[in-house]
């Protein structure tokens, strides 16, 4: 799964306590984006969340880096429950040097470090050459990925998190089913409701979702489509009254209506254990659409499916044909703890992950980085997914602005976590809308 439940898979575990015993005395020459001055070996610790992409890509990238930089040994920790593995060690003062752990996870370890201002400023990494290449990191990345609240959480012009594997998100469906039925992919919500009625007549539900966590990218795309970028940015920065505007009311209303078209078993299975049962509804032609990201193909690759099944992906419908449609881009982030002992060597490694060699290894496992020209090299399902922006659909990026911790207050829990209750009818949409505005008020006063 993604984020909270997204990533599943592997374990390569090396104790952080060992890292504290390693020699960290080698001086790193960072002037050219790589290399150590001494022949003495330096050890750095890289910790990465294990995802549906698999662990082998990390082992291979580390091997390639050690081959390119023989003065560095890399200790690698890859685990699907990375927060549990590294969290206690961090509390004891033993920090990894580089971490791949995105925001949006249930335990919110990355958000905690953001709130504590415990991430290293890596703006200078963008001006360094990619390790072993004659091109700067910033010139190799797709424009726009290092100027969002997802990488610059304090909106201070500095980058604290490096964009890594990105995935266009949207509504996933069985393309062959729609072709067989002669049904068009809806581009507006009116078309969506009309299709829902047609599908219902044939015993097929319009909608399902893996867990409420998947409503973040769905909700972001909907906000952008309904209100545009200016409205979206105001919402992300907790502007007073933003969740009580006509635009916000329209968004909440769409969710309320969507509940009437949602497969009834969805809420019961919308958890970290059973979420694949909801995804299976798409493969079995029992539901038409679900919000998801490109990782779902790997997650469900061994699952049974209807005859002739073909993945399809579309943007969130617009409220009317004159409005832009959006497909929010979720991307994982890599960062350096400010308490890391080998920060300069860690920055060297950060430049290497954007090298042609590393990108080739990652993409071989389906992990695509926002590197210019990568999409043209893709084939199969990935070619379809990453071309979603080729036909007028706009990319949405960046989430809520960072705030100081407010005890008992969580926008994610209130905005997205309430959706099960909306779908089951246990919560009133108007009450939900009021609670979101209240949380927004509380977080606005805690902005960093």
């Amino acid at each position: 799964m993604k984020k909270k439940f997204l990533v599943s898979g592997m374990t390569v575990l090396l104790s952080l306590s060992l890292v504290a015993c390693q020699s960290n005395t080698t001086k790193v020459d960072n002037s050219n984006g790589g290399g150590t001055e001494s022949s003495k070996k330096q050890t750095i610790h890289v910790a990465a969340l294990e995802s549906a992409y698999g662990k082998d890509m990390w082992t291979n990238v580390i091997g390639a880096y050690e081959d390119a930089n023989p003065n560095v040994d890399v200790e690698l920790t890859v685990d699907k429950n990375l927060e549990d593995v590294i969290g206690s060690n961090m509390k004891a003062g033993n920090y990894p040097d580089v971490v791949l752990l995105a925001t949006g996870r249930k335990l919110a370890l990355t958000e905690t470090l953001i709130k504590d201002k415990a991430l290293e400023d890596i703006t200078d990494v963008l001006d360094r050459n990619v390790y072993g290449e004659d091109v700067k990191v910033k010139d190799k990345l797709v424009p726009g990925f290092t100027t969002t609240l997802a990488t610059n959480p304090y909106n201070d012009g500095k980058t604290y998190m490096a964009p890594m594997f990105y995935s266009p998100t949207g509504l996933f469906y069985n393309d062959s089913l729609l072709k067989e039925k002669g049904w068009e992919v809806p581009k507006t919500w009116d078309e969506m409701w009309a299709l829902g009625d047609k599908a219902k007549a044939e015993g097929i539900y319009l909608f399902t979702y893996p867990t409420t966590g998947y409503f973040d990218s769905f909700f972001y795309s909907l906000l952008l489509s309904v209100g545009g970028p200016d409205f979206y940015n105001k919402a992300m920065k907790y502007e007073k009254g933003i969740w009580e505007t006509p635009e916000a009311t329209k968004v909440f209303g769409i969710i309320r209506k969507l509940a009437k078209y949602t497969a009834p078993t969805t809420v019961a299975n919308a958890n970290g254990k059973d979420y694949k049962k909801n995804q299976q509804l798409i493969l079995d032609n029992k539901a038409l659409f679900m919000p998801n990201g490109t990782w779902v193909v790997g997650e469900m690759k061994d699952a049974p499916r209807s005859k002739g099944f073909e993945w399809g992906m579309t943007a969130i419908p617009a409220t009317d044909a004159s409005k832009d449609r959006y497909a929010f881009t979720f991307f994982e982030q890599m960062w350096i703890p400010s308490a890391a002992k080998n920060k300069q060597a860690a920055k060297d490694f950060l430049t290497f992950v954007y090298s042609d060699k590393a990108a080739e290894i990652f993409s071989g496992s389906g992990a695509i980085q926002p590197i210019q020209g990568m999409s043209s090299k893709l084939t199969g399902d990935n070619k379809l997914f990453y071309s979603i922006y080729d036909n007028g659909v706009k990319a949405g990026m960046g989430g809520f602005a960072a705030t100081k911790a407010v005890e008992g207050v969580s926008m994610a829990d209130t905005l997205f976590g309430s959706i099960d209750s909306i779908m089951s009818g246990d919560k009133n949409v108007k009450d939900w809308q009021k609670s979101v505005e209240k949380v927004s008020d509380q977080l606005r006063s805690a902005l960093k």
Side-chain angles (χ1 to χ4, degrees), residues 233-309:
N233 289 332
K234 288 177 180 178
M236 295 302 102
K237 296 177 183 177
Y238 317 105
E239 181 169 300
K240 182 175 178 58
I242 194 68
W243 295 101
E244 296 173 334
T245 59
E247 293 88 350
T249 299
K250 185 175 290 187
V251 169
F252 285 110
I254 289 172
I255 303 299
R256 176 176 54 201
K257 189 166 183 176
L258 196 56
K260 300 177 182 178
Y261 290 89
T262 298
T265 57
T266 295
V267 172
N269 294 322
N271 56 68
K273 178 182 178 182
D274 299 317
Y275 71 96
K276 286 187 179 180
K277 293 180 180 179
N278 289 337
Q279 295 180 166
Q280 188 67 41
L281 294 177
I282 305 298
L283 278 69
D284 292 340
N285 291 338
K286 294 180 179 178
L288 288 186
F289 297 103
M290 67 172 170
N292 222 305
T294 57
W295 55 82
V296 70
V297 175
E299 276 188 342
M300 304 302 287
K301 63 183 174 64
D302 297 323
R305 60 202 64 209
S306 59
K307 185 177 180 180
F309 182 92

Side-chain angles (χ1 to χ4, degrees), residues 21 65 67 88 442:
C21 299
Y65 184 62
D67 288 344
S88 57
Q442 292 172 298

Side-chain angles (χ1 to χ4, degrees), residues 364-376:
S365 295
I368 311 302
Q369 297 159 280
I371 293 173
Q372 297 196 55
M374 281 299 296
S375 61
S376 64

